[in-house]
Amino acid sequence: GRPVNMHFGRFCYDREYQTVPEHEMRLGAYSVLISGGIPSIADNLYPDGTIEEVAYERVAAVHKEIKESEEYLKDRMEVPVVGLYYSKLSNDYLDTVYSGEFRYLHSFEGAYRLLLESHIPCQIISGRSVTAEQLAPLKTLIVPNAVMMAKREVDLLKDYVRAGGAVVCT
């Protein structure tokens, strides 16, 4: 029942050393928040083990702003239209088979980006803790590249479809 931790980028490209402007970090962090996730950041250390100080000044500013806005965010009402299904089992499996290629995460992030850029409200649904109550208000559930699911998850998705929900699997 806890929100999914999602990374927002500090990189201009795919995990290199340049740092995006603060307003882009803010957009990423708030995008995660409004989708029901917990914003977190991943980073690359420089080869000598140091960090990019400017990046952390910007991250601190974004987190400070979120903290100051907390009273306005705590009672926010989700707009349940589309669920985006995160499958930890699929992520772990594909990371084992295709080490370092991030195949699952690229699919998940692609689906999220499609929804975000199409201005379609979505809620992140974690496969590990999904419940029928979470699925019930959703019109559609997008399941990107889920190559492995527990029987409990499959049964919940079947029940969701029987109740009139739509599932899009890629």
Side-chain angles (χ1 to χ4, degrees):
R2 292 183 353 199
V4 176
N5 274 318
M6 292 180 64
H7 294 303
F8 65 95
R10 80 125 178 124
F11 310 108
C12 290
Y13 302 103
D14 191 24
R15 295 186 62 87
E16 39 59 62
Y17 296 107
Q18 291 181 307
T19 301
V20 297
E22 188 178 314
H23 70 275
E24 286 188 37
M25 279 189 193
R26 186 177 298 112
L27 176 63
Y30 277 103
S31 296
V32 169
L33 273 173
I34 64 169
S35 296
I38 298 172
S40 60
I41 194 154
D43 198 7
N44 285 346
L45 299 177
Y46 286 113
D48 66 0
T50 60
I51 62 171
E52 176 58 57
E53 291 182 28
V54 169
Y56 285 91
E57 289 170 8
R58 293 176 185 172
V59 169
V62 169
H63 279 287
K64 181 177 184 266
E65 181 179 312
I66 289 171
K67 184 70 175 162
E68 290 170 350
S69 304
E70 196 168 25
E71 70 177 285
Y72 304 106
L73 299 171
K74 69 181 176 184
D75 294 324
R76 70 194 190 319
M77 189 172 128
E78 296 289 335
V79 181
V81 174
V82 174
L84 181 57
Y85 199 83
Y86 175 78
S87 171
K88 176 86 167 105
L89 287 173
S90 296
N91 185 44
D92 292 347
Y93 173 75
L94 289 172
D95 273 355
T96 301
V97 175
Y98 302 101
S99 182
E101 293 184 26
F102 307 105
R103 287 191 180 199
Y104 181 77
L105 289 178
H106 288 308
S107 296
F108 182 83
E109 290 170 357
Y112 177 70
R113 186 174 184 163
L114 171 82
L115 293 167
L116 184 66
E117 290 178 358
S118 300
H119 305 285
I120 298 172
C122 72
Q123 180 177 357
I124 307 298
I125 302 294
S126 172
R128 286 204 256 184
S129 61
V130 64
T131 65
E133 292 76 25
Q134 285 178 303
L135 297 177
L138 302 173
K139 293 180 182 177
T140 305
L141 184 66
I142 297 176
V143 184
N145 206 15
V147 297
M148 290 191 75
M149 295 177 120
K151 182 177 181 338
R152 181 188 72 77
E153 293 174 80
V154 173
D155 291 343
L156 275 169
L157 293 186
K158 285 180 180 179
D159 291 344
Y160 169 73
V161 170
R162 283 187 200 109
V167 175
V168 177
C169 294
T170 61

